[in-house]
Structure formats: structure tokens, C-alpha cells
Amino acid sequence: MVRLLARVVGVGIETADMLVNEVLSRPMRDRKAVARYAGLTGSPDESGAKRREQGLARASNVRVRRGMIQLAWRFLLFQKESALALWYRAALPIAVSARARR
């Protein structure tokens, strides 16, 4: 399974191995469960009438979260003409230009 996943452009052997061993080997119900496990869901803070978002949840598997974020950036780098990459560039032009400068 690692070799099959590593054949995807932008996914290396180490990332594929991490995904298989840390995520794909666990029984997850749906993609939301995967996002919760990786800590890619929001962390809301509600106090009385105040509601705000605190960013990504901290109670998660840090290795998986870091790997999935790197994988998302690599997807944008290697799959520039995909529908998702085109949508991202159109929706967030400031973030794309800031990331390109680094």
C-alpha cells in the first residue's frame, strides 16, 4: 500500500509510510474522523455570547497533522492545473502570493 500511495505525484515514501501506518491502518468512519484525528478541525471558544475560533485543535497526532499539511502544499505545487489548485488560487490570492515569496 505504501508503494501504491508513493506513486502519486508529490507523495514520497516517508509520507506514504506515515499515512499508511498512522491513518489508513485505523478504522475511521469518514473523512471528518480523519480530520479530527489529524487535528485539522477548528477549536471553537464559546463564552457566553462571545464565539471565536482558536485555530487548529491541539489535541491530535502532530506527526499526521504536519504530514497532511505538507502534503496539501505539495499538491498545490505539483498539481498546478487541477480544479482544486485553480480554485485555491482564485479564492486566496493573498495567501498564494505570500507562500510563493518564501
Side-chain angles (χ1 to χ4, degrees):
M1 185 139 190
V2 172
R3 288 186 189 141
L4 182 64
L5 192 56
R7 290 176 53 190
V8 175
V9 175
V11 179
I13 293 291
E14 290 181 21
T15 303
D17 184 53
M18 180 272 303
L19 285 173
V20 168
N21 290 325
E22 299 283 341
V23 179
L24 299 177
S25 63
R26 299 177 186 275
M28 304 263 183
R29 195 170 31 149
D30 55 11
R31 64 183 179 211
K32 290 181 181 179
V34 174
R36 280 191 302 272
Y37 177 72
L40 298 173
T41 58
S43 179
D45 179 27
E46 297 181 13
S47 175
K50 287 185 177 182
R51 290 183 181 175
R52 63 186 180 128
E53 196 67 35
Q54 292 183 323
L56 294 179
R58 297 287 183 237
S60 65
N61 188 324
V62 176
R63 185 173 180 222
V64 172
R65 181 175 60 232
R66 186 180 314 126
M68 291 180 86
I69 290 171
Q70 289 175 355
L71 186 59
W73 281 115
R74 279 189 243 140
F75 178 85
L76 291 173
L77 179 67
F78 292 111
Q79 307 287 335
K80 293 177 182 176
E81 300 306 317
S82 70
L84 181 60
L86 293 174
W87 170 84
Y88 180 78
R89 279 194 214 97
L92 302 166
I94 295 171
V96 173
S97 64
R99 180 74 180 175
R101 284 182 283 197
R102 288 188 207 172

